[in-house]
Amino acid sequence: HVGHASEGRGVEDLALLDGAKFSRLFVDSGIFDNPAQVELLENNGVTILRGFLEHVEEIYQMADAYLFPTKSGDYVISVPLSVMEALSCGTPAVSYKSMKVSQSINGIVDDALYEIDSEKQLNVALQEIANRKTDHSLISGCTTWNEAADHVEKVLFCKDGR
């Protein structure tokens, strides 16, 4: 998960994942300090990276699956940006049905998002969704990181002759 450890975000769900089957990583933005949450994750073998990462897209690209653990809209903005980032990097995601992520992001490719009812479904859902990892965006109509970089390069360096 990429986000912050504030109350209500659900990052403690990472500790529920089978450490023998999954490498669990939490990229903590550091915006909100929650020592108890961090201690729980560390005590359960979850790797935590803290602070700003200039190339966070590499984390999404590296992952086989992404978990958006928040269960209530009271703790997030209306469109979960981290899920959009993961899907854009070709990384399928798991979220809770209560968040209605599939309704808030247009163009999600079929079977790229697995919405679950409870924590009891986490391990199975993540194992299944990891098989859908790809090197292409899982949001239709999006450009890849490389296509965007090529476009910026053309604009900045006028490589199209203009």
Side-chain angles (χ1 to χ4, degrees):
H1 177 67
V2 175
H4 50 82
S6 66
E7 201 66 36
R9 295 287 294 199
V11 296
E12 64 274 3
D13 284 3
L14 290 167
L16 300 175
L17 298 174
D18 184 346
K21 292 182 180 178
F22 302 105
S23 295
R24 299 157 302 160
L25 174 65
F26 172 46
V27 179
D28 182 4
S29 66
I31 294 173
F32 300 102
D33 190 30
N34 190 335
Q37 195 88 291
V38 169
E39 182 180 357
L40 170 76
L41 295 175
E42 288 177 334
N43 288 343
N44 283 280
V46 177
T47 301
I48 300 174
L49 298 177
R50 292 180 181 87
F52 175 75
L53 295 179
E54 184 175 350
H55 296 286
V56 71
E57 74 277 7
E58 293 174 355
I59 298 294
Y60 293 113
Q61 292 166 342
M62 174 187 66
D64 292 321
Y66 180 75
L67 172 62
F68 185 69
T70 307
K71 297 174 189 85
S72 169
D74 294 339
Y75 302 99
V76 295
I77 62 174
S78 61
V79 177
L81 297 178
S82 63
V83 176
M84 289 179 63
E85 292 169 333
L87 294 171
S88 294
C89 290
T91 303
V94 171
S95 69
Y96 286 94
K97 285 182 183 174
S98 59
M99 288 302 300
K100 300 178 182 174
V101 171
S102 62
Q103 295 173 18
S104 65
I105 301 173
N106 294 327
I108 298 175
V109 173
D110 288 342
D111 298 326
L113 177 67
Y114 194 132
E115 294 179 297
I116 60 175
D117 292 306
S118 75
E119 300 88 2
K120 294 174 186 172
Q121 298 171 285
L122 281 171
N123 285 287
V124 170
L126 283 164
Q127 194 162 8
E128 183 178 318
I129 199 98
N131 296 324
R132 300 176 190 154
K133 171 73 175 175
T134 181
D135 61 353
H136 303 296
S137 176
L138 292 169
I139 300 177
S140 60
C142 292
T143 59
T144 67
W145 285 103
N146 288 338
E147 290 168 339
D150 289 344
H151 176 73
V152 169
E153 184 179 47
K154 286 178 185 175
V155 169
L156 289 176
F157 300 107
C158 301
K159 290 193 173 187
D160 62 354
R162 287 189 255 160

